Amino acid sequence: MTAIVIGVWSMIFLGALMRGMTDQMVRNGISTLTGHIQVHHKGYRNDPVIENSMPDPRVVESAIKKKLPSDVWWSSRVRVNAIVSNARHTAGITFVGINPSQEAKISFIGTAVTEGRYLKDNDTYGIIVGKALMDKFGTKLGRKMLVMSQDTDKEIASRAFRIVGIFRAEMEATEKQFVFVTMQAAQRMLKMKNRISEISLVLPDPKDVDAMAASLRAVLPAVDYEVQTWRELLPFVTAYLNVYDGFIFIWFIVVFIAMGFGIVNTTLMAVFERIREFGLLKALGMKPWWIIKEVLTESFFLLVIGMFIGNTLSLLSVFALSEVGIDLSALAAGSEYFGISRVIYPAVHLYDVIMANLVVFVLGLLVSVYPAVKAARFTPIEALTQT
């Protein structure tokens, strides 16, 4: 029973930790300027330069309003590679121009500002910078940062912005990568007029992603626009999710193999300790099949009780960590490489719980068949001679 309890607990609890990592990878990816669906000008994803920006966003905006429900949130952005510097430091970053009110509804930046304030629509020279980038540059609120990038004339454009807010993100890499200004300020600096880089959409129900994307593709000319879902925009996360279910099943089998030896050894030992009793029962007329049923019934109750205790302990373990999580800050550099947050919160999925219990119950009964058959094969004379 101890082997069963530990096996079930490890299957469900460690499975919940891995499921929590995958869920957070998806949430982080979607909230970090990806959204559920993105629309770009043809060729932008392969070569995200300013020349491949969207010349007339009104076509896409009209299609969104016409084909998608009113509860779909969306926002336009300017996004280009740039260099940011101050008196002593320089770094490559992603320069993002946003509509502050719309962007706050669809990405992390709306609630990520921890010092200073969020951008306003009339912020001509305001900029929001990540905490990690601030620490790297040794600067603070109210100071200026110089941003340089290529404009539509293929000339180097630069402008000084004043830091009005500092944001924190799930991953330190995000804090170092992105800086935010208003879209009008970015367009003016880069001489883009009304051009934009992308439109990002967040749906009320993520299950509708494929259907909504297909609706947009049907009305937007494929020669001019690309409509992609988050699964296409986050290929690493998608690949990880595709192999996860197979991996977790293999993990369950590995745990059960270790647990199965304990079940077989214990049941077999219990059989050998009662050879004389089994022999007496057979001498009194008990059929071999009844002996098999008796041993399997013992295994059944051991499995059920062990599974109940194991499930209870695993759910209590998940509940205990549901608020505080497991802090991986010491391993942040390695975990962020895979898109994993610094704090992991376990997530229990019903499918994982059912699969773990089915593996333990079905295979547990199967491995108990051998000791049961062994007990049934003793003849009364052989059994009664045992001491």
Side-chain angles (χ1 to χ4, degrees), residues 3-279:
I4 295 168
V5 169
I6 294 174
V8 173
W9 173 83
S10 64
M11 287 180 181
I12 297 177
F13 179 64
L14 297 181
L17 288 180
M18 290 186 284
R19 186 69 75 175
M21 284 191 291
T22 59
D23 288 353
Q24 285 178 264
M25 287 170 65
V26 173
R27 286 196 298 269
N28 289 343
I30 290 174
S31 66
T32 308
L33 306 189
T34 300
H36 291 124
I37 300 174
Q38 282 191 7
V39 183
H40 304 95
H41 189 261
K42 187 74 173 180
Y44 177 83
R45 287 294 299 171
N46 291 330
D47 189 13
V49 295
I50 199 166
E51 290 86 350
N52 288 332
S53 56
M54 201 179 300
D56 189 7
R58 291 175 298 179
V59 175
V60 180
E61 293 171 1
S62 176
I64 292 172
K65 294 174 182 177
K66 183 185 299 183
K67 301 297 291 186
L68 302 187
S70 58
D71 56 354
V72 173
W73 292 337
W74 57 276
S75 182
S76 305
R77 298 190 192 112
V78 170
R79 189 199 299 218
V80 295
N81 294 324
I83 294 174
V84 64
S85 63
N86 63 3
R88 292 177 293 175
H89 300 278
T90 300
I93 49 93
T94 299
F95 182 57
V96 186
I98 60 174
N99 287 313
S101 56
Q102 291 180 323
E103 191 69 31
K105 300 176 182 178
I106 69 168
S107 72
F108 78 100
I109 194 61
T111 57
V113 176
T114 57
E115 298 179 52
R117 61 173 175 83
Y118 186 55
L119 288 172
K120 300 178 181 178
D121 291 332
N122 59 354
D123 269 329
T124 306
Y125 298 101
I127 189 171
I128 296 178
V129 181
K131 173 65 174 174
L133 188 65
M134 291 278 290
D135 293 341
K136 179 181 177 181
F137 274 46
T139 186
K140 59 183 180 179
L141 282 173
R143 292 187 177 177
K144 291 184 178 181
M145 299 187 86
L146 182 68
V147 179
M148 294 182 291
S149 186
Q150 180 179 292
D151 62 20
T152 54
D153 296 331
K154 297 185 179 180
E155 300 289 339
I156 297 299
S158 63
R159 174 170 291 191
F161 293 90
R162 191 173 298 278
I163 301 170
V164 297
I166 302 171
F167 72 85
R168 297 298 302 266
E170 286 287 338
M171 294 186 290
E172 187 176 308
T174 303
E175 298 175 8
K176 292 180 179 179
Q177 180 180 359
F178 296 104
V179 299
F180 296 88
V181 300
T182 61
M183 191 164 69
Q184 292 78 8
Q187 289 172 329
R188 190 177 301 114
M189 168 185 163
L190 301 172
K191 301 178 183 178
M192 295 180 69
K193 297 182 179 179
N194 292 325
R195 298 170 71 97
I196 63 171
S197 302
E198 64 191 24
I199 293 180
S200 181
L201 301 92
V202 172
L203 312 182
D205 187 354
K207 296 178 182 178
D208 297 332
V209 165
D210 292 331
M212 298 290 185
S215 298
L216 287 177
R217 292 188 186 107
V219 295
L220 294 175
V223 294
D224 296 323
Y225 299 99
E226 294 176 333
V227 179
Q228 295 169 310
T229 66
W230 68 266
R231 290 183 176 272
E232 298 167 300
L233 298 167
L234 301 171
F236 177 82
V237 175
T238 302
Y240 190 90
L241 292 176
N242 289 337
V243 303
Y244 177 81
D245 287 337
F247 172 79
I248 197 68
F249 184 74
I250 293 173
W251 163 249
F252 288 169
I253 296 297
V254 170
V255 172
F256 177 80
I257 290 173
M259 184 179 66
F261 282 107
I263 295 174
V264 172
N265 289 337
T266 304
T267 308
L268 197 59
M269 182 176 63
V271 166
F272 279 112
E273 285 179 346
R274 292 177 292 172
I275 292 177
R276 290 176 59 84
E277 286 78 1
F278 288 132

